[in-house]
Amino acid sequence: MARALEFARAGQVRGEVPVGAIIVRGGALLAEAHNRTLEWNDPTAHAESVVIRAAARRLGDWRLTDCTLYTTLEPCAQCAGAMVLARIPRLVFGARDPKSGMAGSLGNLLQDPRLNHRVELNGGVLERESADLLRAFFRARRG
């Protein structure tokens, strides 16, 4: 999670909302990313989606079984859906997102029994650090 926070800070320096994500498999780092929505002019370029794409390319397989995704913010519906589609078995996240979080806050797409895959959740890891980073970013943007 500390590495994901580093990437969140790297995104913040570029003007992006400070969210970072990494994917680990068997103790080895596969991919790391931060939000790139502004840089790429792409509303889908959230850190989680970017890191899933990078890990899948690196493995040469869209199935990211035996992987853990770490992210500094509870995933939105888009990113939660991408995790289900990629068959990621485990998610570790920092700050909860009461406005769009789909790992328990607004809903729980990641463990919906109607879907063909469910993700093990571990939330609140380095939650204060993740939330503080986001609060400071938005406070500075509001002036």
Side-chain angles (χ1 to χ4, degrees):
M1 184 59 82
R3 184 73 177 149
L5 272 165
E6 288 178 30
F7 265 77
R9 290 183 191 100
Q12 180 179 17
V13 168
R14 300 167 87 115
E16 300 283 357
V17 174
V19 177
I22 66 168
I23 291 182
V24 175
R25 183 177 182 195
L29 180 66
L30 287 180
E32 49 199 9
H34 57 74
N35 277 0
R36 299 217 180 235
T37 55
L38 294 174
E39 181 181 350
W40 293 353
N41 292 310
D42 180 353
T44 70
H46 295 181
E48 301 92 338
S49 293
V50 173
V51 81
I52 287 169
R53 289 181 196 122
R57 276 193 306 272
R58 180 161 181 203
L59 290 176
D61 191 350
W62 61 269
R63 291 176 202 87
L64 299 179
T65 58
D66 301 324
C67 292
T68 299
L69 191 150
Y70 294 82
T71 183
T72 58
L73 182 63
E74 179 182 358
C76 68
Q78 170 201 267
C79 296
M83 283 181 235
V84 169
L85 293 173
R87 311 296 194 271
I88 294 173
R90 184 167 178 254
L91 167 68
V92 178
F93 68 90
R96 299 193 188 280
D97 187 350
K99 293 183 179 181
S100 63
M102 290 304 288
S105 290
L106 276 185
N108 192 345
L109 188 63
L110 294 167
Q111 295 181 327
D112 190 316
R114 297 169 294 178
L115 299 177
N116 64 341
H117 177 75
R118 279 163 286 297
V119 178
E120 175 190 333
L121 300 176
N122 186 0
V125 176
L126 295 182
E127 183 171 15
R128 194 192 81 219
E129 293 88 338
S130 297
D132 287 350
L133 185 61
L134 286 160
R135 271 193 291 275
F137 174 80
F138 286 113
R139 193 176 311 120
R141 287 188 87 180
R142 290 182 192 111

